[in-house]
Amino acid sequence: MARLFFTIILSSIMLVPCIAQNNDIMLNASSDSKPREISLGLPTNNYSAVQIYEDGLPVSYFKYQMFPYKSWHGGVSASATGKMAPMETAMRYGEVNNYVNSYNKLWSHVVRNSLHYTIGTFGQHKIDYNISGLMPKSRVGVSLSTYQNFDPGSNHLDQTKWKDRHQFYKAGVIKIFEGENRYMSFVYQHVNYMSISENYGPFIFAGNGNVKQVKGFSLGKDTYLPDMMKMEIENFKTGEKQEVDLKKGSTDKTHHLTYTFNYQLNDNITLSYKSRLKLARAYRQMHNISGAETVREEAGYSYKDGKAFVGQLQRRTLTQYDSYDNTWMNNAEMLWKGENNDVTLGIDYYYDRARTTASSASYAHEVEKSPKILLWNGKEYYNFNTAGEYYKGEEHKTAAYIGDKWQLGDALYMEAFARLEFKTLNGEAANNIGGDHSNDRRAGFNLTQGKLTTFDRNIWNGAAGLDINYKIIKGLSFRGQGVFTRANKSLFDFGGYLYPDTKPTDTKFGQFGLAYVNNTINIVSQLVYISQSNYSSRSMFQHELQKEVNGSPIGFVESLSLPVTYGIESIGWTTDAVINPVGGLSLHLQFAIRNPQYKDFEFAPTFSDGVTEHYDFSDKNVTNLHKVEVSIDPSYTVNRWRIWLSGRYISKQYVNKTNSLYFKERVETFGGVDCKINTMLGVSLNVINMLNQKGASGNISSADLVEDGSKYKNYLMAGTFIRPFTVELSLKLGI
């Protein structure tokens, strides 16, 4: 071991590949740490997280609360990072989507060091380092990695120096048997991920899809969170008053241990077994925008010194999540290569034990840069636990799948798979069952006032798919694909007060079209259909109280978190082309047009004052989803230089579910210059949001049922934004 580390010091420099080249997967206009979501026409993946596979297993058992991107970083510690398409995601996970797929770097023939250091215009520093090699004469490989992110954010917060502080530590060891496809490995990873979820700002909804900046506030650069490090909640389970810290309440800590065994028996058969133990604890704090309005003195708001407040006010809902999620995931697989086909046989066993307690409170502040928090009737925090959640339980999931790839003659290529899954889940929650209202969420509610309920379910899920590629003439072929998945509820769905709908969620996905390939162009153009029944999500609804309830007066705006279930259907056309017209020049083009609509979206929630409101959004366009997307990604390489651009046009997005209000189209732009100075050193200059668009998005909850949007012209609201114009300088070297 000493010899290995001595060799490290003397080893030569290695150029690190630029991750920005993988545009489709990595470039996210809204976040530096999340992979980009590639939409198939459904709302952003359940609970806003792209599933990520690493070394053949999911990074997280489920995407909530342990968001996969919070315990994964590709960068220089990855030997490969790519994309899993819907056929593979359905076979391996039972879900139709696009996933990130990556593999850890575990060894190299000689000791190699990779260092990627990045600085940005807003003060961000990123350090990404890996060292890997082989122990002398032992065929034992060692890999050590760390990733450190120091990011103040573009909207520097007053409370803390770093808005995002990520610490990744990874160690891997691999024993290589005779032949490089015969090995076993262990990888340990520890992550401390602090991220304050705050990318809000106020703006004026001007009408016709346009927004205007609020005077004195620079969207994306000024902070909109009051200067507070400690906040008050009432514990949803016990009712006790608690003080929560902004940074500690926004930190995930995870431990991964992954074992992989891969053994190629002969030229035809390869066996593998993968196992991952993950212990995770998450404290997540959300300061969701609830609404902005102009208030008078009689509304009861004041500053801390007692002076009455009159003017523009921003309401928020603070939700503090306290969760643990301990999982053990296993996969055994056999790959058999025949003369004309490749067969995959696999078995999964996943175990998950999780608990989440979510306590909520309301508060308000000025509509200003670095705003002051406001008191309502002398209180900083009030309206406790109307958005409270609780569940505790475990899941066992066992699945078997088979896939086959055939080459039938020169003209016909086919892929097919089938997956069968059995899942059990049991635990306790705080649901209303059988007409009982003991667990209705209301101001001041906690579980000592309600009662715990239990659930115990056995569920069969399944998936199947078929892909056909038929060569019509040289270079031109027909492509057709159909995928079906059936899934059902998970522990997360029991967190609200409503006992979840037990109907399964069926997803149907199909794409049919033509592909043409020659030395210059590779193009696929096809019709795409996708539908999903019983889609589950959480929505925040606002309601003006019609009578006084628990000290809240008539007219007070109550926020209520509700689970909702509905269907979605989309049909469209996509074209994807890679063109290489001359040496060094490459052009990627993508065009998609679709029409995502709600189906069977009708429900009637009851608020704490006893008022029941009826909602029906069936056949309306899905909010925050665009119908048209166009991507243009050119790059040119000459000698040591590579110049690249990436531009995405996104059409208008609807603000409210009646579709009477919308945000206009926008363009997301990236670009950069890479210079390979020599085999030891590389430099990159990257630009995010070259046109400095604001990319404002959000919703106006009070307008969800409004058919005539004219009264919302020049309406004050708040929402999210994409990253402002940012320049990053990266140095890639090693020691």
Side-chain angles (χ1 to χ4, degrees), residues 24 36 588-591 629-633 647-649:
D24 280 346
R36 177 193 171 204
H588 172 240
L589 302 171
Q590 188 177 60
F591 170 79
E629 181 174 344
V630 180
S631 297
I632 304 175
D633 306 304
R648 289 195 289 271
Y649 166 85

Side-chain angles (χ1 to χ4, degrees), residues 120-135:
T121 49
F122 292 101
Q124 182 183 32
H125 296 259
K126 294 186 287 187
I127 303 168
D128 196 3
Y129 173 72
N130 170 264
I131 178 171
S132 58
L134 274 177
M135 297 289 290

